[in-house]
Amino acid sequence: MKFTPTEAQFDCTALVSGPRDRRERALEDLAGAAVHVIHRVGFAVFRIGRLRLGVEESRRLSTALAERIRAALLARGAPAELRLEIDRPQQTYVPEGFSTRTLLPHHDGQHCSYLTPSLHDAPEWQPAWREFGSSGYTTTPAHKMYQGIFLPDVGEGLSVTTYYDWLGVIDDVLDRRGIDAGDDRPASAARWIGDNLRRGLERQPEHGCAYPSFGAMLGLVEPLWHGLSFHHGEAVLTKEERVRYPAAVPLARSCACGTCEGEAARLFCHQVLMATGLTWAQFRRRWEVCAPGEQCDLLFGHNLTLLHGGLAGGPGRVIEPLCLVVDTPAGPAYERWLAASWRRALPGAH
């Protein structure tokens, strides 16, 4: 089990000590340092909870920090349309019969927020393909470039956010399958992902899923792995899913690693094995980074280059999304930002 690296943990003491002008400068410095870590490591954890400010003051500070992160990104070449979206609070759903829940790896935004190629790497790509569906999603329709969550209540469980290096996973899968990535590896990987997404879009009338699954993005072709996109590990197959995908029923009874709890988790284990060559347990040991969240902490991640999930979240856990979004993921600035993100970088200052 791996935990948040030291470089991704940010002490926030300077934000509340000293004269006002010094605190404002500390906000800018912290945001500037964080955006580079977010692109290199994938995420950052701001230890606001350790300041013991109370929920309202911590929320105000988290919002101010999110605004400074936005400004720092704009100064380093992010699209001018980037805005802060403060979504409604979300209480943790725990499936019946369980005391906590497990969130499997996913991108926030479901139908529209996931990694796609930049036109710099795939000139034939069309920005319209960056939206997988127009219905059946639970968040706003905005494209979430960066996913932030403020934790006003950590609840009864462990309150651990899990992160997975999606760029690393893609690179590893290319190697395992012997796919030649050529001299420009990020560009080749981007084109490969783009081809997989286009096939998923073309086959949508067949599989009926409103957003791409983990396996579909990694090139699995079976309709089953396109049509079932898992979220809660403890969930059971619906009656409709059992009828539409009868092959999933026996697979849901046991998994390759033998340790997964819940039908969705066991099916996800099979999907991960087929897509990556690793069982879900092996995949977790290879890629999972655990970020325990203290009450009033702020977690911020790159929503496209990083997958995230949740471990042992209790029903009392509440998150407040503070996401940096665009309404239309297109245009020269977006394409430059996306190409740089594939390379764990920022496009640079204007």
Side-chain angles (χ1 to χ4, degrees), residues 72-260:
L73 287 165
L74 291 175
R76 290 158 178 81
E81 298 79 14
L82 185 69
R83 61 182 174 85
L84 174 63
E85 178 185 74
I86 303 175
D87 204 356
R88 66 187 184 280
Q90 299 175 11
Q91 190 152 355
T92 299
Y93 165 76
V94 176
E96 186 177 353
F98 294 86
S99 58
T100 61
R101 66 90 181 95
T102 302
L103 282 184
L104 299 170
H106 62 283
H107 297 289
D108 270 2
Q110 302 170 324
H111 72 301
C112 63
S113 296
Y114 44 85
L115 189 64
T116 64
S118 166
L119 297 184
H120 290 268
D121 294 323
E124 73 284 358
W125 183 261
Q126 295 183 23
W129 296 336
R130 292 183 177 131
E131 184 171 296
F132 210 79
S134 58
S135 63
Y137 56 90
T138 56
T139 61
T140 73
H143 294 251
K144 288 145 187 69
M145 294 166 62
Y146 300 89
Q147 174 249 7
I149 57 170
F150 170 65
L151 297 171
D153 194 334
V154 295
E156 310 85 346
L158 295 180
S159 189
V160 172
T161 301
T162 51
Y163 289 107
Y164 309 84
D165 179 2
W166 187 229
L167 292 178
V169 171
I170 294 167
D171 205 43
D172 189 56
V173 169
L174 290 175
D175 281 343
R176 286 176 181 270
R177 296 189 191 174
I179 298 173
D180 183 13
D183 295 331
D184 191 345
R185 196 171 182 86
S188 297
R191 288 191 289 270
W192 182 71
I193 285 290
D195 288 343
N196 296 339
L197 286 168
R198 286 181 63 182
R199 279 193 291 271
L201 277 167
E202 291 166 357
R203 296 177 61 184
Q204 214 166 33
E206 175 189 1
H207 61 70
C209 195
Y211 50 94
S213 71
F214 178 96
M217 288 188 283
L218 294 178
L220 297 187
V221 298
E222 295 82 357
L224 166 65
W225 303 128
H226 282 252
L228 296 176
S229 193
F230 307 107
H231 197 57
H232 293 95
E234 298 83 3
V236 298
L237 286 169
T238 65
K239 181 180 179 180
E240 292 75 14
E241 289 169 338
R242 292 173 188 273
V243 171
R244 186 164 190 171
Y245 301 109
V249 177
L251 291 175
R253 297 188 189 119
S254 63
C255 66
C257 74
T259 62
C260 296

